[in-house]
Amino acid sequence: MSTSRRFPQAIGAGALALAVLAAGTARAEGNNDNMLRGPHPFLKDNELSAHVQLVAGGSSTPGGTKLAGDYGYHAYRPLWLNLQLNFQRAACHTPSGAPTCDVPSGSIFETMVGVKVKVSTPIPLVPYVKGAGGLAFAFPNGSRNGLGLAARGGMGATYFFFDWLGLGAELDGSIGSLSTADSFYSELDFGGGLEFQF
């Protein structure tokens, strides 16, 4: 094959390679543009979040770990309806030969309803405060089960990588009265987790 025929074919192959490269670059840039850089747009009305928290219990309230789940509905900016379902577990580890556990232990369920207020910032970080009230169900070790009214408040912040996915941290506190031998109920929780909006 002559050089005059190879030259147009080389140009055609080079043009095709450049077109493929340009398409791939445009696709990659389009995917990167989905990541948030400015304020969160609040385009979706529903959210689900889950946080794993460490619990410091009051004198008669078990500590331990808590799995805190929230559902939110965007009622009116900046207010969100907030439904909470929380499960807390505190185990008792006694030394060998110890007759009983000397710290409160057991399980607690919280079912709460309240509101959450979210604040927009120039970056995709969304601070919030929330408050709720509802029922707490206690299943303590070595004592009778009980239930009662409780209030729960908290604050936190979520950094959104996309408008539908964020990573955040939260500080909460609960207080109430339960129908158990140790009726006063109080605890402080801190942890982190994920939030999904849809």
Side-chain angles (χ1 to χ4, degrees), residues 6-100:
R6 287 189 192 134
F7 187 72
Q9 289 176 352
I11 291 177
L16 180 62
L18 286 175
V20 170
L21 182 61
T25 303
R27 189 180 302 115
E29 288 177 355
N31 289 340
N32 289 339
D33 285 343
N34 290 333
M35 292 190 70
L36 292 180
R37 293 181 179 84
H40 190 280
F42 295 105
L43 299 177
K44 299 173 173 58
D45 290 332
N46 299 278
E47 68 177 17
L48 286 173
S49 64
H51 291 81
V52 177
Q53 299 179 316
L54 297 177
V55 181
S59 60
S60 60
T61 305
T65 56
K66 175 178 287 188
L67 180 61
D70 285 40
Y71 165 76
Y73 177 74
H74 195 184
Y76 181 79
R77 190 172 184 179
L79 292 177
W80 293 66
L81 173 67
N82 182 237
L83 305 178
Q84 302 178 27
L85 180 61
N86 307 318
F87 170 68
Q88 176 183 330
R89 178 69 185 152
C92 181
H93 303 287
T94 58
S96 178
T100 59

